[in-house]
Structures are given as C-alpha cells and as structure tokens.
Amino acid sequence: MGRLRHLLTLRGLPRETYQDLFGRAEGFMGPGGSSVARTESLRGSLVVNAFFEPSTRTRLAFEIAARSLGADVVNFDLLSSATQFKSESFEDTLRTIAALGADFIVLRHGGEMPAEGLLEILPKATCLVNGGEGSDDHPSQGLLDAWTIQREKGGFDGLRIAIFGDILHSRVARSLAHAFATLGAGSVTVSGPPKLVPESLEGQLKVTVDHDPDRAVAGADVIICLRFQYERMGGSYEAARDRHNYTIDEGRVALASPEVMVMHPGPINRGVEIAPEVADGPRSFILSQVRNGVAMRMAILDALGEGRRAA
Ligand code: NCD
C-alpha cells in the first residue's frame, strides 16, 4: 500500500487505505468510545484550516483532531480575509497560506477548481486535505460515515443503504458512492424530489433511483438523510418544492430494518429532511458521526504525517 501524501478524493482510494484509516481511527477512540486519545505524532507541524465556505463540524473536527495530535492550528477566516473585500484570488490566498508555513492545508471551497489542480501551486512538502469541494467530493465525511457504519454493522456485505434528500448537490453523496462501491455495499437506493436526484451517482456504483419514499426505505439497514442545499439552487427553490414528501419520520423508520441506522452528515434541518423525533430517537447515529469525525480526522492527519515524513 502506497503512503498517503494528500487526501483529495475517495475516487480510486484502495480498500486497504480504508482499512488502514479505520484501524488508526479505532486506535484514537478513547475508553468507551466517547473521548479521543491524544498523541504527539504531529508535534511541530502547522495545520491551517482554509475554509472558503461555512462549516461547523468539519472545521471544528479537523481543529480538535490536529490539536489532539500535538499540531499547531491556525484558522483562515474568510470574512476578515483579503479575499473578501480586496479581491485577492483563491490561488494567491492559498500560495500565501503555504508561504506562511502550513505543513497541512485543510481546504474547503465552492468547487471552482478541482483539488488535484491545486497541488501544482503548492510546495511539494505541503499536504492537501480536501475538506469539501463543490458538489463533487467530501472525502473525510465519506470516510467517517463509512467507518461509523462499519463499527455498527461489522461490514458492508449485503447492506441495504437508502440515501434521501438533495442528492444532486451533495458532495457527501458522491464521496459515499465511491466508498460504498469500494467497500462492497449490498445495494444503494436514492430517493428525493425528482429534480434533485440524478439518474446515476457515480459510474462505478449501481444506484437504484426510487421516487417512492416508502418503497425506497423498505427494509433499509442504513438511511442517510441529506440537507436541501438551497444555496446551490440559483435562487429558485422550485426543485425542492415537494421536499416534505421525503422527510424521514417515525412512520418511515418503521418500514426499515428494526436495527436501522439513521445518519445525517449535518447540518440538519429539523422537520425538513428529518423529523425531530427521528433525529433525537434511538436509531439516530447523528452525534456518533460527529464524535467519530474527530478520530477519523486524526487518522487522516496521522497517516498523512507518516507519508510526509517518509517522503
Ligand atoms: C456537508 C457539507 O458541507 O458538504 N456537511 C458537512 O460537511 N458535515 C453537507 C451540507 O452542507 O449539507
């Protein structure tokens, strides 16, 4: 297995790399699975969170993860940056962050440039982590969600997964499609308002589209709810008009497997894609995802640190 130098996408990420990251993340879980074991593996390194789009979980989880590994962390603040009012380009902002001494850059951006292209403008030694890019990729979220399922279900063989909501704009859905294809999930069904559900998610993964939400959820082992991304709808919310027909409520959860995991990468909109009693209910894994997100981001930074030292 080659060492990880950057984490840009889950497209083509080998199965062994998933297993390696799952193993590392497990090692970082504290006793009882609630806290995170601290180490010093990134002592002396600087991690810069460069978020050109808002974020709660991803940014905080990367920051906590980096600190838990002994790294120094600096957060780029978009609103007070020269990008905002002084028209500095995205690329020049990145060059500046690298020149300031970032060893790792966790980057979130609107997707105007694929992460691969950005490597050309960064020094060789800088590790780039995709913290969410346009509607295309959100590898760390895909990894933590897949690991959360693996921990609960023991594996992916025969697993029936239903993804609900705004699939069209979801980078999480695309990263999960790669993960589920590589890890060998039994079946993936997507459901939501017709204009927000593309016919295929990713060429390599067979996805069944079912606009009948009750049928889509029947017997599911995992339900993944996704937020309606109004900010990517160009000012018209027409496509999301029938969104309330796809809400995951208690009635729908009752149609799934009794052991179903209800997941959501967040941010959650209660009463829209998920009913409050489901979000807070016994089958909800939403806060486990958040907790696991710290250990998984530690695993990613730890593996990248190893790759960096070996280079
Ligand atoms: C998602 C994102 O930003 O891609 N959230 C996350 O990172 N946990 C999903 C969303 O914005 O709805």
Side-chain angles (χ1 to χ4, degrees), residues 51 53-59 108 131-135 137-138 140-141 144-145 166 169-173 225-229 231-232 264-269 273 289-290 297:
F51 278 55
E53 269 189 357
S55 163
T56 303
R57 296 158 182 76
T58 307
R59 196 188 63 72
R108 165 166 296 196
E133 171 200 334
S135 295
D137 241 312
H138 194 347
S140 69
Q141 185 72 42
L144 83 88
D145 289 349
D166 180 355
H169 297 110
S170 177
R171 50 192 171 213
V172 178
C225 309
L226 298 171
R227 180 179 69 89
F228 290 91
Q229 303 199 9
E231 75 275 21
R232 296 190 204 279
H264 194 318
I268 67 171
N269 285 172
E273 70 276 7
Q289 288 172 269
V290 174
R297 268 86 185 210

Side-chain angles (χ1 to χ4, degrees), residues 4-294:
L4 208 56
R5 286 290 287 122
H6 306 279
L7 181 67
L8 307 181
T9 176
L10 294 189
R11 193 181 311 120
L13 194 79
R15 200 182 173 116
E16 307 83 74
T17 307
Y18 284 86
Q19 296 311 340
D20 173 64
L21 291 171
F22 290 0
R24 283 177 203 258
E26 204 61 61
F28 289 132
M29 289 306 270
S34 54
S35 58
V36 164
R38 299 176 71 87
T39 73
E40 296 291 311
S41 72
L42 290 197
R43 166 81 46 224
S45 301
L46 177 62
V47 176
V48 176
N49 278 325
F51 278 55
F52 291 79
E53 269 189 357
S55 163
T56 303
R57 296 158 182 76
T58 307
R59 196 188 63 72
L60 286 174
F62 267 113
E63 178 166 355
I64 296 165
R67 289 186 195 283
S68 302
L69 294 172
D72 294 318
V73 186
V74 171
N75 289 300
F76 162 81
D77 179 4
L78 178 63
L79 285 182
S80 64
S81 75
T83 321
Q84 198 65 10
F85 297 113
K86 301 183 183 176
S87 311
E88 185 157 54
S89 75
F90 172 65
E91 289 84 346
D92 282 326
T93 308
L94 261 196
R95 284 188 186 98
T96 304
I97 291 171
L100 285 166
D103 301 303
F104 299 80
I105 298 178
V106 183
L107 178 68
R108 165 166 296 196
H109 71 114
E112 62 274 15
M113 201 169 171
E116 279 91 347
L118 297 173
L119 288 182
E120 286 158 28
I121 66 172
L122 291 175
K124 282 226 163 356
T126 312
C127 292
L128 186 60
V129 185
N130 181 350
E133 171 200 334
S135 295
D136 289 336
D137 241 312
H138 194 347
S140 69
Q141 185 72 42
L143 282 163
L144 83 88
D145 289 349
W147 179 49
T148 303
I149 297 171
Q150 160 103 23
R151 294 190 91 210
E152 180 64 19
K153 299 289 184 191
F156 287 82
D157 225 18
L159 223 56
R160 301 174 67 170
I161 299 172
I163 310 180
F164 269 76
D166 180 355
I167 318 287
L168 181 66
H169 297 110
S170 177
R171 50 192 171 213
V172 178
R174 282 178 186 76
S175 287
L176 284 174
H178 291 299
F180 294 152
T182 304
L183 297 169
S187 70
V188 179
T189 304
V190 293
S191 190
K195 288 190 182 129
L196 296 176
V197 178
E199 276 311 307
S200 78
L201 248 191
E202 286 297 337
Q204 53 171 315
L205 177 79
K206 272 218 207 79
V207 170
T208 308
V209 176
D210 196 337
H211 295 297
D212 177 337
D214 290 342
R215 203 167 51 207
V217 85
D221 300 298
V222 179
I223 302 171
I224 298 168
C225 309
L226 298 171
R227 180 179 69 89
F228 290 91
Q229 303 199 9
Y230 306 109
E231 75 275 21
R232 296 190 204 279
M233 292 182 196
S236 161
Y237 308 141
E238 174 59 26
R241 206 172 47 158
D242 54 346
R243 60 193 176 280
H244 289 284
N245 295 344
Y246 297 90
T247 308
I248 297 299
D249 57 16
E250 282 182 320
R252 292 230 160 95
V253 173
L255 299 174
S257 148
E259 304 299 314
V260 68
M261 301 173 71
V262 179
M263 302 175 68
H264 194 318
I268 67 171
N269 285 172
R270 288 168 180 261
V272 184
E273 70 276 7
I274 187 164
E277 55 279 14
V278 173
D280 302 329
R283 302 312 311 157
S284 172
F285 282 74
I286 298 172
L287 294 179
S288 305
Q289 288 172 269
V290 174
R291 277 189 289 271
N292 290 349
V294 175

